[in-house]
Amino acid sequence: MTAQQSRRIVLASRPKGAPVSGDFRLETGPAVDPDEGQVAIRNLYLSLDPYMRGRMSDAPSYAEPFQIGEALGGATVGRVEASRDGNFKEGDLVLAFGGWQERSVVPASSLRKLPADLTRPSYALGVLGMPGFTAWHGLLKIGEPKVGETVVVAAASGAVGSVVGQVAKLKGARVVGIAGGEEKCRFVTDELGFDACIDRRDPQFAEKLKAAVPDGIDVYFENVGGAVFDAVLPLLNVHARVPICGLIAGYNSERPPEGPDRMPLLMGTLLKKRIRMQGFIIGDHYGPEFSEFMAEMGPWVKEGRVRFREDVVEGLENAPKAFIGLLEGENFGKLVVKLSDD
């Protein structure tokens, strides 16, 4: 390869509470050539996802923390620039864990080759990638909605929630979304086809949610927590199912919330109503289930039965600001950063 420069965003310091711009640093340096078994990629799109906030902390978790002074990790779609593995060649379109950088060198074994004619490559980071798979697995494998049941979806306009609700409708459920703001709620009902959507910022949010689910809630897809879950809990039906893929309301918290101990109420409700509440990490399920997911989701997207909105930010230098906004609910749709033209 000829000498190439590559910009990257590194973790400058571990956030205390909500991340700030000073926790990130933009660096420029020479791109690295691949060794045997590696592939060099020019990244086109970077996915920004809430789970990244947890990995900016060094607290014990399900994944290793990001390291100070190293490029932040994240899924990317890119083009192969050089390959020292027979399964990939220059020009291949690939899904990688390329991180917050314009060029990456990664093990060939970690790559997934994408169709050359994929019209929206960034969809491999959204509806046809991790968020879509998260929605599909959590709803269908844990939530198990039945025809006529009521499904409630938090963060309903987001990358995961928007897919959850549409798939639930395809399976014959009545779907109520929860989103932040009137514009997002209109999108959820008018564009995505949910039966109703409640603005979580409304002072009467809890009362309006209760009115929207007169028969109670059979499946609640949880990715927010906090006050939203407080309003949902008393509305859960006997034998309700609650898949948990995230708790974004608490990601920036440094201590437990103030107020009374809610654990007795939660445990008592789970027991009396025989509720199944199950957390999951989608990385555990790629091997056995991803092909099954694509066999269903691919046709749904192609036929327009599942629609998907992206919030595209231009330029790596704008990734920190976009990520900070993501944790505050400022994005509208799946948040991706466009790093370069294809």
Side-chain angles (χ1 to χ4, degrees):
M1 294 175 59
T2 56
Q4 300 267 22
Q5 292 292 301
S6 177
R7 298 188 303 165
R8 65 179 192 162
I9 301 286
V10 305
L11 185 64
S13 58
R14 300 203 181 279
K16 298 184 183 301
V20 297
S21 59
D23 294 323
F24 307 88
R25 184 171 67 248
L26 177 64
E27 298 181 345
T28 301
V32 178
D33 290 338
D35 291 329
E36 193 65 33
Q38 293 183 327
V39 176
I41 301 164
R42 177 171 58 88
N43 294 312
L44 306 175
Y45 293 94
L46 164 68
S47 176
L48 295 182
D49 300 287
Y51 79 85
M52 295 172 172
R53 174 61 184 86
R55 296 191 65 186
M56 293 177 185
S57 167
D58 57 2
S61 186
Y62 63 88
E64 290 295 317
F66 297 139
Q67 298 302 310
I68 301 291
E70 294 187 1
L72 291 154
T76 59
V77 167
R79 291 282 181 190
V80 173
E81 289 194 314
S83 174
R84 295 191 63 184
D85 180 275
N87 294 313
F88 297 92
K89 64 181 186 302
E90 183 179 347
D92 282 347
L93 185 68
V94 294
L95 176 65
F97 199 74
W100 294 35
Q101 50 192 348
E102 293 172 326
R103 287 181 164 83
S104 310
V105 171
V106 298
S109 60
S110 68
L111 297 178
R112 178 177 291 115
K113 192 177 294 187
L114 298 173
D117 60 350
L118 190 61
T119 55
R120 293 284 293 269
S122 56
Y123 271 18
L125 301 173
V127 66
L128 299 178
M130 183 271 289
F133 186 32
T134 299
W136 178 89
H137 172 85
L139 178 68
L140 300 184
K141 302 297 184 178
I142 301 174
E144 298 180 333
K146 300 175 180 62
V147 174
E149 288 191 324
T150 296
V151 175
V152 171
V153 186
S157 68
V160 174
S162 64
V163 178
V164 170
Q166 292 178 86
V167 173
K169 288 294 292 181
L170 288 171
K171 298 298 182 180
R174 180 176 182 270
V175 181
V176 176
I178 299 169
E182 294 182 2
E183 182 183 8
K184 290 182 178 180
C185 283
R186 282 194 300 270
F187 169 74
V188 166
T189 54
D190 297 351
E191 299 294 327
L192 302 183
F194 287 39
D195 295 286
C197 188
I198 311 302
D199 183 357
R200 64 174 174 81
R201 298 173 181 169
D202 191 308
Q204 295 181 309
F205 164 66
E207 293 83 356
K208 290 185 176 181
L209 178 63
K210 182 177 181 179
V213 293
D215 297 323
I217 299 172
D218 300 295
V219 180
Y220 172 57
F221 196 101
E222 175 67 288
N223 45 31
V224 172
V228 171
F229 182 73
D230 289 345
V232 166
L233 181 62
L235 306 176
L236 293 172
N237 287 334
V238 172
H239 297 302
R241 289 82 68 197
V242 183
I244 305 173
C245 79
L247 298 165
I248 193 171
Y251 285 176
N252 288 328
S253 300
E254 295 188 278
R255 60 186 62 86
E258 296 181 359
D261 181 4
R262 297 176 176 86
M263 186 62 71
L265 173 62
L266 172 61
M267 298 302 290
T269 303
L270 296 181
L271 173 62
K272 294 171 188 176
K273 294 187 175 181
R274 287 84 84 195
I275 292 168
R276 183 172 79 220
M277 180 178 288
Q278 181 178 334
F280 68 100
I281 303 300
I282 197 59
D284 296 342
H285 304 282
Y286 274 89
E289 294 179 15
F290 192 78
S291 295
E292 182 187 354
F293 155 72
M294 284 299 295
E296 265 197 307
M297 189 62 69
W300 284 339
V301 173
K302 187 175 182 179
E303 296 163 8
R305 301 176 73 189
V306 170
R307 306 177 69 177
F308 195 68
R309 177 173 177 142
E310 293 180 309
D311 190 338
V312 181
V313 173
E314 297 275 348
L316 177 65
E317 67 278 7
N318 294 314
K321 181 180 178 181
F323 180 75
I324 291 169
L326 170 69
L327 297 177
E328 298 297 327
E330 294 177 6
N331 61 299
F332 194 165
K334 174 70 187 88
L335 185 59
V336 295
V337 181
K338 184 178 180 181
L339 302 179
S340 65
D341 292 323
D342 191 3

